Amino acid sequence: RSLEADGLEIVPIRRGEGGKLQITSEDLANVDAVVHLAGENVATGTGPLGWLGIQAWSEAKKAEIIRSRQEGTESVVQAINGCPAGQRPKTLVCASGVGFYGYTTEDAVVDESSPMGT
């Protein structure tokens, strides 16, 4: 929202059927920057510690996490490379995971139910 408030146009490109990223060179021609936030959700899985929010990944889950990041990024790069010279995005930011951590110098005990930033 801050980018839009600064007068920049945001063009979201979402996954299509089957969760596969469907992006073309036409989608990215004359775009200044691409922010690629993609990949299988890593906060899911099964295991004996699931009640604590600790999820064990099966071999299939691990493979899907890797595949989703690799194929999605390859699709974005292919679309960028397919743009005509002079019309390619100049910046690609790619992130496959984001964490939010607080900072405190006190000896507070915090967990997932604590307020953000603590």
Side-chain angles (χ1 to χ4, degrees):
R1 297 176 200 222
S2 176
L3 295 173
E4 290 175 316
D6 290 342
L8 299 173
E9 180 183 3
I10 308 300
V11 181
I13 299 172
R14 300 186 185 346
R15 289 179 277 190
E17 277 191 43
K20 187 167 174 122
L21 183 63
Q22 296 176 339
I23 187 168
T24 66
S25 298
E26 291 78 27
D27 294 325
L28 301 181
N30 296 307
V31 168
D32 293 319
V34 175
V35 178
H36 174 54
L37 307 174
E40 173 70 14
N41 183 348
V42 298
T44 60
T46 59
L49 300 178
W51 62 277
L52 288 174
I54 300 170
Q55 305 292 326
W57 294 336
S58 66
E59 292 304 313
K61 177 70 171 184
K62 291 177 194 177
E64 178 58 20
I65 290 169
I66 293 168
R67 186 205 60 75
S68 66
R69 284 152 175 70
Q70 182 178 357
E71 288 181 7
T73 303
E74 286 174 353
S75 295
V76 171
V77 170
Q78 287 174 358
I80 289 172
N81 288 338
C83 292
Q87 295 182 9
R88 291 183 180 153
K90 294 173 183 47
T91 303
L92 169 61
V93 176
C94 183
S96 60
V98 178
F100 184 91
Y101 304 94
Y103 174 78
T104 183
T105 58
E106 296 135 10
D107 291 330
V109 176
V110 297
D111 62 19
E112 290 77 13
S113 64
S114 301
M116 288 190 295
T118 59

